Amino acid sequence: MRRAWFLALLAALPFPLAAPALAWDATGHMLVAAIAYDRLTPAARARADALLRRNPDYESWTAGLPPSGRARAAFLQAATWPDDIKGRQGYDPRSEDPATPAATRITGYADRREHREWHFVDIPFSPDGLPVQGPPRSNAQVMITTARGVLAAADRTADARSYSLVWLLHLVGDIHQPLHAAERVTARHPKGDRGGNDVPVCTETCGHRLHSVWDEALGRNLPLDAILAKARALPAAPAASVARMDPAAWARESHALARDVVYAPPVRADGQPSQLTEAYMQRAEAVAASQAALAGARLASLLNAALK
């Protein structure tokens, strides 16, 4: 029934849609990818689709879709692949030793590590003046730079370039989520709060974590028509901001938003659940929307350059 509904929707709209993805926070990543896809050059779209065909999930991404809809479908769903493999049979959740070159090496789909450490660059800060340590060597900022280089390199294998592409589709979204670029060090969390994952909060109900609230600020499990409508409706990111193409600058921007907005009152630092107000949630949604628009535009610029 769900597939029949989706195909009917696909046929009724004047542009191709993607098939539904089931990753728990797929909405935000697919929204960023949708924004980027519409800004790609025709040549970059064609080269991206050719590379994505090498992903082991390509057939499932495009099953049942007409040829005209497959490229967009694969592009949007590829943005969720680094999350989709978490916990999947045959993938190893253990991280490489961050002190070794293997921690940041890209070889291709034969690499069966989940690389969970690649998803964030948790730059620590302490409002109490406690000592902090920098993020590990293998992080989102480093891997965006690494994957961009591999994708643009004509002498690298198509497999390694395809693997780099799916990670770029995901990581550019991740690094624009403020809590993927910060963690707070306090007396309660002297080793850091893991990007807000250890901060309990209440919205309509309690039992949530600050990180998950921000992961879902763009929506959760939205239907595909809603994702594409939202991508089209978001105001365009300022050109001057889009032009800043340094991943280190992206991390600093997200870190500043975390300090100034994410951890602002009513978020507590004593370990007790924080009751998030309607005003806080509205600001979170506005910041998330702005960051998604910026991430999508920057992702498109990155891919247009790497795939030219």
Side-chain angles (χ1 to χ4, degrees), residues 25 28-29 32 119-125 135 140 170-184 193-197 210-218 247-264 267 280 283-295 298:
D25 64 347
H29 284 291
V32 169
H119 292 255
F120 52 86
V121 52
D122 281 349
I123 304 167
F125 74 98
H170 189 86
L171 292 180
V172 174
D174 270 347
I175 205 170
H176 284 81
Q177 203 274 58
L179 282 175
H180 280 251
E183 66 175 352
R184 185 176 61 178
D193 65 6
R194 299 190 307 125
N197 276 298
L210 185 63
H211 189 103
S212 64
V213 167
W214 278 83
D215 265 349
E216 298 166 16
L218 292 166
W250 302 349
R252 290 193 297 269
E253 292 168 358
S254 291
H255 180 79
L257 285 171
R259 295 186 64 157
D260 297 341
V261 179
V262 177
Y263 287 104
V267 175
Y280 181 95
R283 190 173 188 194
E285 291 172 7
V287 168
S290 177
Q291 287 294 95
L294 186 55
R298 286 171 169 170

Side-chain angles (χ1 to χ4, degrees), residues 9-189:
L9 176 64
L10 177 68
L13 291 174
F15 47 84
L17 285 172
L22 302 177
W24 70 271
D25 64 347
T27 293
H29 284 291
M30 295 178 76
L31 177 62
V32 169
I35 294 167
Y37 190 83
D38 287 341
R39 297 174 70 116
L40 292 181
T41 66
R45 286 184 186 176
R47 287 166 185 154
D49 186 55
L51 288 172
L52 292 177
R53 289 173 184 271
R54 305 185 70 87
N55 185 281
D57 287 0
Y58 185 87
E59 293 301 322
S60 65
W61 292 340
T62 59
L65 296 179
S68 62
R70 291 172 189 165
R72 185 191 296 265
F75 192 87
L76 267 65
Q77 295 216 89
T80 74
W81 188 81
D83 276 346
D84 294 342
I85 63 172
K86 292 177 181 176
R88 182 181 289 185
Q89 185 175 4
Y91 285 85
D92 189 344
R94 295 174 298 174
S95 299
E96 297 278 6
D97 182 346
T100 66
T104 57
R105 183 179 298 133
I106 289 178
T107 56
Y109 293 111
D111 181 353
R112 308 293 282 186
R113 298 272 185 174
E114 293 178 8
H115 292 297
R116 298 191 181 202
E117 72 281 5
W118 288 3
H119 292 255
F120 52 86
V121 52
D122 281 349
I123 304 167
F125 74 98
S126 176
D128 306 328
L130 297 176
V132 300
Q133 295 181 342
R137 178 173 174 269
S138 52
N139 58 59
Q141 175 187 316
V142 168
M143 293 314 303
I144 289 171
T145 299
T146 301
R148 179 171 58 185
V150 173
L151 181 62
D155 60 342
R156 295 299 300 268
T157 66
D159 192 69
R161 296 179 72 220
S162 174
Y163 185 85
S164 296
L165 175 58
V166 295
W167 274 99
L168 284 169
L169 291 175
H170 189 86
L171 292 180
V172 174
D174 270 347
I175 205 170
H176 284 81
Q177 203 274 58
L179 282 175
H180 280 251
E183 66 175 352
R184 185 176 61 178
V185 175
T186 62
R188 175 70 180 180
H189 298 115

